[in-house]
Amino acid sequence: MLLASLGTSIANVALPTLAEVFGASFQAVQWVVLAYLLAITTVIVGVGRLGDVIGRRRLLQAGIALFTAASVLCGSAPTLWLLTAGRAAQGLGAAVMMALTMAFVGDTVPEERTGSAMGLLGTMSAVGTALGPSLGGALIAGAGWRAVFLIGVPLGVVTLFLTHRHLPADRPGNATGRARFDRVGTVLLGLTLAAYALAMTTGRGGFGVRGAVLLSAAACGAVLFVRAEARADSPLVPPAVFRDRTLSAGLAMSALVSTVMMATLVVGPFYLTRSLGLGQALVGLVLSAGPAVAALTGVPAGRIADRFGAPRTTVLGLLAMAAGAATLSLTSTASGTAGYLAPIVVITIGYAAFQTANNTAVMADADPGRRGVTSGMLGLSRNLGLVTGASVMGAVFAFASATTTADITTARPEAVATGMRVTFAVAAALLCAALALAASRTRKRPRTRKQTAAERSGG
């Protein structure tokens, strides 16, 4: 989890250097980041199911090996297009790591400690995200941009050794499972997600012809995917899964919460620089507070979930996030940096509690034979929330600031402050919707895993 998260954030700091080295535009070098995220989003559910079918440890080791080899390709790439291709391959390896790491919790951790384990995974994800920019900057300054990608080689080798040494071997009897892998559904879902993610990331919050075509393709792909799954003998995502209130509500809440968290990354830099007049060093320090708080609160949040139950902790985390977002929607520039930072800290603490408890609830209720695909769906919902938040919340911010996305860097400080307040008012509304989903899930009487497994298999 640490390695995959580090790969997400470490490349961003290298983009200006890459633009200069390769003589490329900023839009072109952005694909070094986008290729990684798109690869993860497109295949994370499919690789999760593949791990269920052929063996999780075997596929996890293959994913780590792919990530490591792709790091060599990225670090030695002579052209920008080859670097981008290497990043896409890294993303495929990262998708395997993200999907199967969480699935292994059910195989290796006692049920009463599941929350603590999920909290530790959340901490590692936050540490990787927070460490990426600072580590990347230090590597560029000391050894050049290639070191940003080559650092993944020794880390990948160590990770591969640890998985071989400590993770339980795959259970025998999965060799015949290859025929049960839903190839058609996997391809359709991958193409659908790719079209949606491209519409969100290249449209920049607008509604151009390209975005409309991609969204239409995604909608058609979704219809075809649902029809294919209804007819498949062993579907990638059985239709009965979405009648499981715990899973469907958990996925929806995860997407909503991730959309809100992306709003903090979209709005924060503009508000801090344009409205509060902070320098780049202070902006970086303030923005690093969120990942730092998440890293410190992940494990305690897991212990709280173990002690008081995942449903209660989920609601508590959402309430904290909603309170923080509502406070930001009323904040004035007169309150200064502290007036912005304090609610952000509350939001981040709530997010750590929510993510840990929600993941625990979903994975605890998952059929042991489908933990990989369930974990992949959780990762997918988070990624879709992030790409949607970058586009939609960015568009809300630009509209509320009475400007366009391209000109927001020159907007008046008062306009940017207004945009921030409106954006977080929308975020608070989204969190209220998530709270309603959490309440509906809590009202449903708990079922045993055996009952859940029977329902998902159509029994």
Side-chain angles (χ1 to χ4, degrees):
M1 190 64 76
L2 176 65
L3 187 58
S5 300
L6 185 65
T8 302
S9 62
I10 197 170
N12 290 273
V13 71
L15 294 186
T17 302
L18 293 175
E20 182 179 348
V21 168
F22 291 109
S25 66
F26 182 71
Q27 288 74 20
V29 297
Q30 269 187 314
W31 280 98
V32 172
V33 174
L34 290 178
Y36 187 88
L37 296 176
L38 286 170
I40 293 174
T41 303
T42 302
V43 304
I44 192 168
V45 175
V47 297
R49 177 56 182 158
L50 189 61
D52 292 334
V53 171
I54 70 171
R56 293 181 191 132
R57 191 176 83 153
R58 185 183 313 167
L59 184 58
L60 180 59
Q61 290 175 329
I64 297 170
L66 175 59
F67 184 95
T68 305
S71 298
V72 175
L73 176 60
C74 292
S76 59
T79 61
L80 182 60
W81 76 264
L82 195 58
L83 172 59
T84 304
R87 284 287 287 172
Q90 266 194 329
L92 295 178
V96 175
M97 290 188 280
M98 288 181 172
L100 298 187
T101 298
M102 195 181 300
F104 264 107
V105 170
D107 297 334
T108 58
V109 178
E111 188 173 352
E112 65 273 11
R113 295 181 58 198
T114 300
S116 296
M118 290 295 183
L120 182 58
L121 290 183
T123 294
M124 291 298 99
S125 178
V127 168
T129 302
L131 183 62
S134 57
L135 178 60
L139 289 171
I140 292 173
W145 67 268
R146 295 185 185 275
V148 168
F149 304 104
L150 291 176
I151 190 64
V153 178
L155 294 176
V157 170
V158 171
T159 306
L160 192 59
F161 169 76
L162 291 173
T163 59
H164 178 75
R165 178 72 176 82
H166 295 289
L167 287 182
D170 295 323
R171 297 172 184 172
N174 280 333
T176 60
R178 296 176 189 270
R180 299 197 305 270
F181 184 68
D182 182 10
R183 296 178 179 86
V184 174
T186 300
V187 171
L188 283 174
L189 181 61
L191 292 174
T192 299
L193 294 173
Y196 179 79
L198 284 170
M200 293 294 103
T201 52
T202 61
R204 303 175 183 227
F207 299 95
V209 174
R210 182 194 302 178
V213 170
L214 287 169
L215 285 176
S216 298
C220 292
V223 172
L224 291 174
F225 173 72
V226 170
R227 290 183 176 179
E229 296 304 274
R231 298 173 182 174
D233 293 331
S234 182
L236 175 66
V237 182
V241 162
F242 295 103
R243 294 196 292 270
D244 179 351
R245 189 173 297 182
T246 297
L247 178 58
S248 57
L251 296 177
M253 287 189 292
S254 178
L256 287 170
V257 166
S258 296
T259 299
V260 170
M261 292 308 294
M262 180 53 75
T264 65
L265 301 178
V266 170
V267 174
F270 290 104
Y271 179 73
L272 294 171
T273 55
R274 297 294 302 165
S275 296
L276 299 185
L278 300 186
Q280 290 299 321
L282 280 176
V283 170
L285 186 62
V286 172
L287 292 178
S288 67
V293 170
L296 292 173
T297 56
V299 173
R303 291 174 180 169
I304 292 172
D306 285 336
R307 181 171 181 180
F308 297 104
R312 292 180 181 176
T313 309
T314 297
V315 172
L316 183 65
L318 289 173
L319 284 172
M321 292 188 70
T327 300
L328 282 173
S329 71
L330 302 173
T331 298
S332 70
T333 54
S335 59
T337 304
Y340 177 81
L341 185 58
I344 287 293
V345 168
V346 173
I347 289 175
T348 307
I349 292 174
Y351 174 66
F354 163 80
Q355 181 169 261
T356 298
N358 188 57
N359 290 350
T360 300
V362 171
M363 294 305 297
D365 201 41
D367 176 6
R370 298 188 66 89
R371 283 185 181 135
V373 71
T374 303
S375 175
M377 291 171 70
L378 274 171
L380 173 62
S381 66
R382 177 178 177 273
N383 270 27
L384 288 180
L386 292 175
V387 297
T388 303
S391 177
V392 175
M393 300 303 274
V396 170
F397 180 49
F399 177 79
S401 299
T403 182
T404 64
T405 308
D407 296 331
I408 200 168
T409 54
T410 59
R412 293 179 297 107
E414 298 82 3
V416 173
T418 299
M420 185 276 290
R421 288 191 288 270
V422 172
T423 303
F424 279 102
V426 173
L430 293 178
L431 291 168
C432 288
L435 275 167
L437 288 171
S440 70
R441 184 172 74 174
T442 303
R443 285 196 300 267
K444 187 173 178 63
R445 190 166 69 180
R447 294 165 302 150
T448 65
R449 288 184 179 178
K450 187 177 294 186
Q451 288 172 322
T452 302
E455 181 178 306
R456 288 179 180 171
S457 62

